Amino acid sequence: MSKPARTDSKVVPGAKSRYDDFLYTHINQTLSIHGTANFLSWHRYFTWTYEQALRNECGYQGYQPYWNWGKWANDPANSPIFDGSDYSMSGNGVFQAHDCTQALPTQLNCVPPGAGGGCINSGPFKNSKVNLGPVSPTLSGVGLVPNNGTVYNPRCIRRDVSSWVSTRYASEKNTTDLITGYTTIDDFQTTMQGDFANGEYGVHTAGHFIAAGDPGGDIFTSPGDPVFWLHHGQIDRVWWIWQNQDIKNRQNAIGGTITLNNSPPSRDAKLEDFNLKSRVLKECLLVTP
Ligand SMILES: [Cu+2]
């Protein structure tokens, strides 16, 4: 976050830090990496790329940790992830009155307001700024900025850590049922991302809305909250566990098209599609693959 961006400031004037290179990449590609055949593989590659940057550019010697949602589903705000201690991902936001959060694109199951909603004020990211977005905010009162969130819009990280979400949709049972109950990649990835028409969040949407707030509750801008990387570390881990139940048939299994929930309608994705991987490399690392 203290290193300068490599993104061209004429294209994305709000990208100030190296971290923003990653945030912008996710904003820019959101409509072709969610509800698509490449959802899992794109986010695996994105998380790995970020880990590489931490290791190769920031002196980090560890690996990208994962957040095992179910372990603390009963009380996420007091978990080592969100308890505000030195090695947490910072704590809950301070209380700020807000409406229920529309996590799903339906009127079902609006997330009831919790104890947060305002800026985080503890832990390592309490003074960090999110520079880009919002693009599609779900926290009430968060104002939009022009140009698809590419202008400089520094603000605090806001959260409303929700046990309402975690107990219903990100329990240990939610995760083990997902791993054991679905044999095709289509069923697995759809269940993981959520059956919105039936009010099911899926563990992917649930993880994002356990933290919620701004930028975490915004599908475009969610990597602006650093807990994103731990959440997607776990998404990737769960996919890997599922793949290993039948590695021969599941390692290279893909299903679905190349547009968000096939809107607008598009062709089926192919394993040979290389475009998205090369775009991650180009936009995050600014190297030509
Ligand atoms: Cu994403």
Side-chain angles (χ1 to χ4, degrees), residues 66-120:
Y66 59 85
W67 162 22
N68 189 358
W69 319 291
K71 187 164 180 175
W72 299 290
N74 285 331
D75 191 8
N78 286 307
S79 72
I81 312 279
F82 291 119
D83 67 5
S85 57
D86 287 355
Y87 290 90
S88 71
M89 299 306 287
S90 283
N92 198 1
V94 299
F95 178 72
Q96 185 172 331
H98 58 284
D99 299 336
C100 77
T101 294
Q102 196 66 53
L104 305 187
T106 69
Q107 289 309 307
L108 291 160
N109 292 346
C110 190
V111 180
C119 299
I120 60 173

Side-chain angles (χ1 to χ4, degrees), residues 15 17 35 70 86 102 105 133 138 143 145 148 164 196 201 217 263 270 275:
S17 74
D86 287 355
Q102 196 66 53
T138 55
V145 290
N148 292 322
W164 188 92
F196 297 161
Y201 282 50
S263 173
K270 298 176 296 217
N275 183 35

Side-chain angles (χ1 to χ4, degrees), residues 4-53:
R6 297 186 193 173
T7 304
D8 186 343
S9 63
K10 288 194 276 306
V11 180
V12 189
K16 303 291 184 191
S17 74
R18 190 74 181 95
Y19 194 86
D20 296 339
D21 294 337
F22 288 83
L23 177 50
Y24 169 68
T25 298
H26 191 272
I27 291 173
N28 190 34
Q29 300 190 34
T30 281
L31 298 178
S32 55
I33 56 170
H34 302 103
T36 48
N38 63 22
F39 164 72
L40 286 164
S41 53
W42 190 94
H43 286 80
R44 172 171 287 176
Y45 200 79
F46 187 52
T47 303
W48 179 83
T49 307
Y50 177 73
E51 180 187 51
Q52 291 303 301

